[in-house]
Amino acid sequence: MALHIALTFDDNFWAPAYTVMRSICLSTHRRADLVFHLLHMPLSAEHRADLERIGAEFGASLRFYPLADMPAFETLVAGLPQHGRWPKVVYARLMLADLLPPDVPRVIYLDCDMLVRWPIEQLYDIDLGGQPLGAVRDSIAPFIALRRDMVQNADIFDGADPYFNSGMLVIDLAHWRDIDIAAEIAALAASGVLSRLYFDQDLLNLIFRGRWQPLPWRWNTIDADAAHEALDPAILHFTKTTKPWALRAGILHATAYARWYRHVMTNELFYRFARHRWKRWWLKKLRLAR
């Protein structure tokens, strides 16, 4: 049976996407069953070739979904809040039920700032209790939902309600398709609250309120740092500003499994990604200086 995994990213995040996929492949014996659904903005030929190495090394299947060629994606994201750290591609996960083939029963969505350490099939086969969605409660909820002083969005969210992190989602696609996501977003837009929401995560928590299955924290270990190594996490989620691909002095060892992460990315790609990031940083500085 195939194991379907979905990622969303742009050309500036190709190396972390590669690392997520390679960590999954290294952590399971069922590599040939893996099918990676890659929802992406335009990719350079070099970066796409890097991603395709996953298939050559492990025998996994890769399916590419170029979002820039999909007018429906632009329609979906029009009017939704965006930010430099959260570009519009983050909303692509809302289209999984529309983009994936109808014979795909279930998919795991993963953010690209993650690292997988346990066999992914254990998560893929997890019981969702008849719900369309499985996720892990966010470690700093309800602060994210209620915002400043836990009152700013109290008219939208109830702090006593469970609130999940959207970086890892187990999706039952048949049940998901029973929900008209576009209509739910349109209703939220009509209510005037979109500009106050925390991107796709708030959207998903509102749409699936009371319709999701809480999963064990190990499947989305949020704010992963070195102390989490003793807890044997299944999936690490590097949500802090400090990322395991950072090269600044002392930063590399400030996140969990930092050395392991570098070698999963491979040394060659790790340093090439570092040069890519430095180039982007300097170009941004030069544009601001003009």
Side-chain angles (χ1 to χ4, degrees):
M1 183 182 72
L3 303 169
H4 296 276
I5 317 294
L7 308 177
T8 64
F9 57 95
D10 60 23
D11 203 38
N12 292 315
F13 241 67
W14 96 98
Y18 169 88
T19 308
V20 174
M21 289 192 290
R22 194 161 188 259
S23 71
I24 291 170
C25 293
L26 289 167
S27 302
T28 180
H29 292 291
R30 293 179 56 185
R31 293 154 187 150
D33 293 334
L34 293 169
V35 181
F36 292 105
H37 301 269
L38 307 180
L39 284 60
H40 63 88
M41 298 306 285
L43 292 170
S44 71
E46 179 187 24
H47 294 168
R48 177 164 175 149
D50 286 329
L51 296 170
E52 289 174 339
R53 285 160 43 192
I54 294 294
E57 183 177 5
F58 298 105
S61 300
L62 277 67
R63 299 179 184 177
F64 291 85
Y65 300 76
L67 297 169
D69 298 337
M70 301 177 185
F73 175 67
E74 292 298 331
T75 300
L76 173 74
V77 300
L80 293 178
Q82 297 177 35
H83 184 273
R85 284 187 63 194
W86 292 277
K88 62 185 179 182
V89 71
V90 301
Y91 295 108
R93 73 195 79 182
L94 300 173
M95 296 185 66
L96 284 170
D98 301 316
L99 296 179
L100 269 58
D103 62 341
V104 176
R106 178 178 281 205
V107 65
I108 297 172
Y109 168 82
L110 295 174
D111 276 353
C112 289
D113 56 349
M114 288 182 146
L115 188 71
V116 177
R117 297 183 57 254
W118 284 13
I120 201 68
E121 60 268 25
Q122 295 181 18
L123 178 60
Y124 194 84
D125 295 332
I126 206 163
D127 183 10
L128 296 184
Q131 300 286 15
L133 187 67
V136 173
R137 291 186 66 164
D138 200 291
S139 61
I140 58 172
F143 169 71
I144 292 179
L146 298 181
R147 311 293 285 275
R148 187 181 302 117
D149 296 334
M150 310 259 189
V151 297
Q152 189 175 352
N153 279 353
D155 58 324
I156 304 173
F157 293 97
D158 188 323
D161 289 337
Y163 178 95
F164 61 83
N165 181 279
S166 64
M168 185 286 294
L169 304 171
V170 183
I171 301 169
D172 183 311
L173 288 167
H175 284 80
W176 180 294
R177 291 186 180 104
D178 290 337
I179 300 170
D180 190 337
I181 300 292
E184 297 270 2
I185 294 174
L188 289 169
S191 72
V193 303
L194 283 185
S195 63
R196 298 166 56 193
L197 298 184
Y198 186 72
F199 308 102
D200 67 297
Q201 184 162 292
D202 275 0
L203 277 175
L204 286 164
N205 271 277
L206 289 171
I207 293 169
F208 289 93
R209 181 155 44 190
R211 297 186 284 191
W212 64 280
Q213 176 68 22
L215 301 180
W217 65 269
R218 278 191 170 87
W219 291 112
N220 186 357
T221 307
I222 300 162
D223 284 353
D225 58 34
H228 286 103
E229 295 184 14
L231 301 177
D232 193 23
I235 298 178
L236 298 125
H237 192 178
F238 303 101
T239 52
K240 294 180 179 179
T241 304
T242 301
K243 302 296 186 183
W245 53 78
L247 274 176
R248 287 171 292 171
I251 295 297
L252 182 60
H253 301 289
T255 60
Y257 294 92
R259 183 171 299 229
W260 200 86
Y261 184 96
R262 188 186 77 194
H263 289 287
V264 173
M265 185 178 280
T266 74
N267 274 298
E268 185 273 331
L269 188 54
F270 183 88
Y271 290 109
R272 181 148 50 91
F273 183 49
R275 291 192 294 271
H276 173 87
R277 286 171 51 78
W278 272 109
K279 181 179 179 180
R280 288 182 63 227
W281 186 85
W282 277 111
L283 287 173
K284 182 179 179 180
K285 286 289 184 182
L286 289 172
R287 284 194 298 268
L288 290 175
R290 289 176 182 173

